Amino acid sequence: MSVLVYTEPHHGKISKNATEAASYASKLAALLGTTATALVCGEASDTETLGQVGISKILQVASEGISQFDTQKLSKAVQEAVRKEMATVIVFSHDFSGKAIAPRVAAKLQAGLVAGAVSLPDTSNGFIVKKAVFSGKAFAHVSVTSEVKVISLLPNSFSVEKTGGTASIESFLPEIGKAGVVVKEIRKESTKLSLTEADLVVSAGRGMKGPENWGNIEELATLMGAATACSRPVADIGWRPHHEHVGQTGLAIRPNLYIAVGISGAIQHLAGVNGSKVIVVINTDAEAPFFKAADYGIVGDAFQVLPKLIEAYKQFKASNN
Amino acid sequence: MKLLVCISKAPDTTSKVSFAENNTKFNEAGVQYIINPYDEWYALVRALELKETLGGTVTTITVGKADNEPTIRKALAIGADDAVRIDAEASDALAVAKQIADYVKNNSYDIIFCGKETIDYNGSQVGGMIAELLDLPYVSLASKLDVNGNTATLERDIQGGKEVVETNMPFVISCAKGMAEARIPNMRGIMAARTKPLQVISGSEVSKLTEIVAYSLLPEKAGCKFIDAENPGELFQLLHNEAKVI
Ligand SMILES: Cc1cc2nc3c(=O)[nH]c(=O)nc-3n(C[C@H](O)[C@H](O)[C@H](O)COP(=O)(O)OP(=O)(O)OC[C@H]3O[C@@H](n4cnc5c(N)ncnc54)[C@H](O)[C@@H]3O)c2cc1C
């Protein structure tokens, strides 16, 4: 018995999502009285991170073409690692890659899958995992009855704990077969921080009146090291790129801090952001529904408040350095 | 080209989420069901566009009881040619995927479309599971799909960007924003939908491996603390000292 975690390096580094999944896997292994192994599909220069979060063994996949993403190849690699490690729980991040591979692995292994888990399982009576449902409006507690189980962990829902260990590294050469899907090109959306991995997000809506007014939003975000997001109508009318659209029909995000400027807080918008740890709302309308979901609020005109905030942040940063 | 679109119902996006029977069941009182937006806006509409330009048929498939028929009729009104309902409980994602995979084994299709996820259980599971059960290529979270002969070119969302990929038919795809624009059914479509074929078949025996034993709501917010708009700098002190997020 063991716990296996799938990791895929991002730009040659173990990603934040993968580190969270690895930390979760090692905590889970401790809970089950076993150890956790990480499968690393691609080249990473910082695999020691995995040992530091409690992984005891790394299987470094050396098969030709493993870093060319294909769900058929990658699910074969995972299956072979499961057999080798006699894994009974397989952990993924519920990110773009995990969503693509975890279902394949679960179907092949006849394993119950909990997609979007937010905490470690309760094993006091069976195996019950809490997951986010209704686009972040609620949680479901899912009992998994199969012998082998697959869990994909919602990004930003589990705090990484550095336990300070080291992992042994073993080269691993699974038979991965041919790719059914061939990667032709990778297009980076921008060099900026990716929204789903950002700890801080500054977001704006129709209250900004037009695309030419986003300068203050971008300036505040850049100063804070935050990613930018927007409401759906703003993306639909082309004021902002589609990949910034958050909400029920866009990206669901769970940053530590979500600052919403000129967004009313419609139920479909809240659905994608109410997993955020702290929400700040800036709106001219004191009755805007978003204030009900907020931790901090400023009733005021964004065009006046934002320049003041930018100045205040510069001072804050200067005095906290 | 034979196109199959997996359609699920989902509570209307404005539904109040609450639970009944000691927090073990979703409270359906007053809840309106719609076609899951990802299935409708992106998967179904893109399938219809491909049919219109390249020819072929669009069939929808739904696993579930008769209470799914209004949403199935809506999919027919938007333009699907016919529909299949597998009369079985949609007990968990793998159970649904097995029913659909069993159906496809006996009725081959060129492309099997799913939505990115349902807006109620947010699993993003069924497409990948169908692909594995049928040993087909799978492109998840695709925002673009073009077909040229037997080959398809797609874009899929990845961390911080997009990946352009190529695959051959048959394959499975899950559709995300960007794939197509929503269509509103017109009167002719609605009339025609009434008489379009909706075949009900009985499902195979499948067991479920997961079960929801309870629900809970998000913890209540303590309330909003207001900061003076004239002097908003206090915000950062609060975020630093009190909330500890910066
Ligand atoms: C099926 C469905 C799915 C949907 N999915 C999503 C989704 O995923 N994401 C999403 O965001 N929406 C979604 N919506 C749309 C949603 O219902 C709202 O229409 C949308 O979120 C409103 O965007 P907004 O807050 O930017 O604009 P508005 O509702 O127009 O709000 C603008 C706000 O700005 C404030 N304001 C105006 N001027 C200023 C100023 N100078 N300074 C400060 N504040 C100002 C106003 O008081 C107002 O509160 C969906 C809708 C449907 C039906």
Side-chain angles (χ1 to χ4, degrees), chain B:
Chain B
M1 218 171 18
K2 281 182 74 188
L3 307 174
L4 184 69
V5 184
C6 304
I7 295 278
S8 157
K9 68 179 169 66
D12 174 42
T13 55
T14 56
S15 305
K16 181 167 167 40
V17 175
S18 67
F19 303 104
E21 294 177 37
N22 210 6
N23 287 327
T24 57
K25 294 257 169 344
F26 173 57
N27 185 0
E28 292 192 301
V31 169
Q32 292 267 7
Y33 279 91
I34 56 171
I35 307 180
N36 178 48
Y38 290 106
D39 304 351
E40 177 190 330
W41 300 353
Y42 307 133
L44 175 60
V45 175
R46 187 64 193 137
L48 293 171
E49 289 171 352
L50 288 176
K51 172 197 146 168
E52 285 155 12
T53 50
L54 302 169
T57 55
V58 174
T59 301
T60 68
I61 189 164
T62 302
V63 178
K65 294 291 177 181
D67 59 348
N68 282 278
E69 296 202 355
T71 42
I72 297 173
R73 289 284 171 207
K74 179 159 181 222
L76 293 170
I78 293 171
D81 297 295
D82 62 335
V84 175
R85 179 170 69 82
I86 302 179
D87 190 39
E89 213 59 70
S91 48
D92 76 356
L94 191 52
V96 168
K98 279 183 182 159
Q99 301 284 9
I100 295 173
D102 283 347
Y103 173 81
V104 174
K105 277 177 195 153
N106 302 315
N107 303 269
S108 68
Y109 287 89
D110 297 306
I111 308 177
I112 301 159
F113 292 79
C114 290
K116 162 181 139 172
E117 62 185 41
T118 56
I119 60 168
D120 46 8
Y121 295 104
N122 309 110
S124 221
Q125 304 177 41
V126 174
M129 288 172 167
I130 296 172
E132 185 65 30
L133 295 169
L134 297 170
D135 199 20
L136 293 179
Y138 176 49
V139 180
S140 80
L141 309 190
S143 54
K144 196 161 188 249
L145 160 66
D146 289 308
V147 175
N148 189 350
N150 192 38
T151 306
T153 306
L154 304 99
E155 279 179 25
R156 78 175 189 101
D157 295 340
I158 57 168
Q159 190 81 54
K162 291 202 186 290
E163 201 173 73
V164 182
V165 301
E166 223 170 72
T167 189
N168 289 328
M169 291 197 274
F171 63 91
V172 183
I173 168 179
S174 84
C175 301
K177 182 170 177 157
M179 183 56 83
E181 295 290 334
R183 281 188 187 181
I184 297 162
N186 57 24
M187 209 51 213
R188 224 175 90 228
I190 295 168
M191 299 300 287
R194 293 191 189 153
T195 53
K196 282 182 179 170
L198 191 170
Q199 188 194 354
V200 179
I201 57 179
S202 51
S204 25
E205 272 305 314
V206 297
S207 53
K208 58 178 174 188
L209 304 176
T210 64
E211 183 179 15
I212 295 178
V213 290
Y215 290 96
S216 52
L217 288 168
L218 295 188
E220 290 271 338
K221 288 265 176 191
C224 182
K225 198 178 252 187
F226 284 94
I227 293 145
D228 181 12
E230 292 305 317
N231 216 344
E234 188 199 346
L235 176 68
F236 299 114
Q237 299 303 334
L238 290 167
L239 292 176
H240 183 67
N241 298 323
E242 190 176 83
K244 299 190 172 22
V245 289
I246 60 168

Side-chain angles (χ1 to χ4, degrees), chain A residues 60-110:
Chain A
Q60 175 67 58
V61 180
S63 314
E64 175 91 16
I66 193 71
S67 47
Q68 291 278 310
F69 192 87
D70 173 66
T71 59
Q72 281 170 300
K73 288 191 307 190
L74 289 162
S75 100
K76 288 205 180 85
V78 175
Q79 287 161 38
E80 197 168 318
V82 168
R83 283 193 296 274
K84 178 174 157 59
E85 295 299 303
M86 290 186 290
T88 51
V89 187
I90 304 118
V91 178
F92 291 83
S93 174
H94 194 57
D95 60 7
F96 296 105
S97 300
K99 285 177 186 172
I101 309 163
R104 286 204 92 114
V105 170
K108 189 66 179 194
L109 300 175
Q110 292 298 302

Side-chain angles (χ1 to χ4, degrees), chain A residues 204-209 230-234 245-251 261-270 282-285 288-289 300-303, chain B residues 12-14 34 37 41:
Chain A
R206 217 147 47 177
M208 294 310 291
K209 312 278 194 282
C230 70
S231 68
R232 180 171 149 217
V234 159
H245 159 195
V246 294
Q248 191 149 26
T249 49
L251 286 174
V261 188
I263 302 178
S264 57
I267 190 161
Q268 298 93 352
H269 184 85
L270 292 180
I282 302 171
N283 199 303
T284 40
D285 177 9
D301 184 338
F303 292 86
Chain B
D12 174 42
T13 55
T14 56
I34 56 171
W41 300 353

